[in-house]
């Protein structure tokens, strides 16, 4: 007998949500996991990037991504509609405090409506020069920790340019 494990409820905040990594890999993979019921119903994705999109425009862009880069044979319109209802978007400048204050408000709304139990993953699908800025701003806005839930920060490689810079980045993120 195989016991399947479903992920805990959470909000996945993708910094760089308008970028290639999100379109080619992240959203198609998350949609597939959703179709396979590997992520819970109490899950949401909040995309953020410098570009200005409405949530409907973001959802349409992600649908195009899933249709282009996902498994076309397994695409299901009803599954997409359910998944798309959990997609949200917030545009802004990663270096500005304004986006983090808006993020705090938007996360509270999403956590309440999607029952994500204050669990958060911040996925930094950005250029490496934004890693420190985003982590520092998340901490300054009180977003780096969520009580009673948990918070994780994931950075996309490259993680520094040598061992010393990787260690320095690790220390800053910690």
């Amino acid at each position: 007998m195989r016991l399947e494990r479903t992920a805990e409820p959470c909000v996945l905040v993708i910094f760089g949500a308008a970028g290639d990594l999100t379109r080619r890999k992240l959203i198609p993979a998350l949609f597939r996991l959703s179709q396979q019921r590997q992520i819970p119903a109490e899950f949401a994705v909040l995309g953020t990037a410098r570009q200005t999109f409405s949530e409907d425009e973001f959802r349409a862009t992600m649908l195009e991504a899933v249709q282009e880069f996902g498994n076309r044979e397994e695409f299901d319109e009803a599954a997409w509609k359910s998944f798309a209802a959990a997609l949200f978007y917030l545009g802004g400048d990663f270096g500005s405090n304004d986006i983090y204050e808006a993020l705090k408000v938007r996360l509270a709304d999403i956590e309440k409506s999607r029952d994500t139990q204050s669990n958060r993953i911040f996925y930094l699908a950005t250029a490496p020069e934004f890693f420190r800025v985003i982590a520092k701003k998340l901490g300054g806005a009180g977003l780096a920790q969520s009580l009673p839930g948990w918070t994780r920060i994931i950075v996309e490689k490259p993680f520094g340019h040598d061992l010393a810079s990787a260690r320095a980045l690790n220390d800053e993120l910690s």
Side-chain angles (χ1 to χ4, degrees):
M1 179 190 300
R2 188 175 130 196
L3 297 176
E4 302 233 355
R5 183 174 167 203
T6 302
E8 292 181 59
C10 71
V11 176
L12 173 64
V13 179
I14 303 174
F15 284 86
D20 200 48
L21 176 63
T22 301
R23 291 187 70 255
R24 286 180 177 264
K25 301 291 183 182
L26 298 179
I27 294 298
L30 289 168
F31 178 60
R32 184 173 172 103
L33 289 172
S34 176
Q35 285 184 294
Q36 295 171 346
R37 298 184 180 177
Q38 297 294 309
I39 54 177
E42 305 83 10
F43 176 80
V45 174
L46 174 56
T48 184
R50 292 175 287 184
Q51 290 80 353
T52 302
F53 291 120
S54 70
E55 286 186 345
D56 287 338
E57 290 170 325
F58 180 66
R59 289 176 181 133
T61 300
M62 294 304 108
L63 173 58
E64 290 171 10
V66 166
Q67 290 174 331
E68 183 177 355
F69 300 108
N71 187 335
R72 291 184 186 138
E73 291 81 33
E74 294 182 16
F75 182 81
D76 178 273
E77 187 71 32
W80 172 257
K81 286 182 181 180
S82 176
F83 180 76
L87 293 178
F88 304 93
Y89 187 79
L90 178 66
D93 177 3
F94 301 151
S96 169
N97 291 334
D98 294 343
I99 192 171
Y100 300 93
E101 291 306 315
L103 186 60
K104 191 184 300 187
V105 171
R106 194 70 178 113
L107 276 172
D109 290 343
I110 293 169
E111 288 170 348
K112 185 176 181 181
S113 69
R114 303 290 301 181
D115 192 26
T116 61
Q117 301 175 18
S118 299
N119 297 327
R120 302 170 181 166
I121 300 172
F122 295 103
Y123 193 110
L124 281 52
T126 64
E129 61 262 20
F130 292 110
F131 295 168
R132 288 178 174 89
V133 172
I134 294 169
K136 185 175 261 187
K137 296 284 188 179
L138 287 170
L143 292 167
Q145 296 179 337
S146 56
L147 298 175
W150 46 259
T151 298
R152 306 287 186 267
I153 297 175
I154 299 172
V155 296
E156 186 58 41
K157 62 184 178 189
F159 196 85
H161 55 273
D162 59 17
L163 182 58
S165 65
R167 285 182 174 159
L169 179 57
N170 191 54
D171 290 343
E172 285 187 55
L173 293 176
S174 294

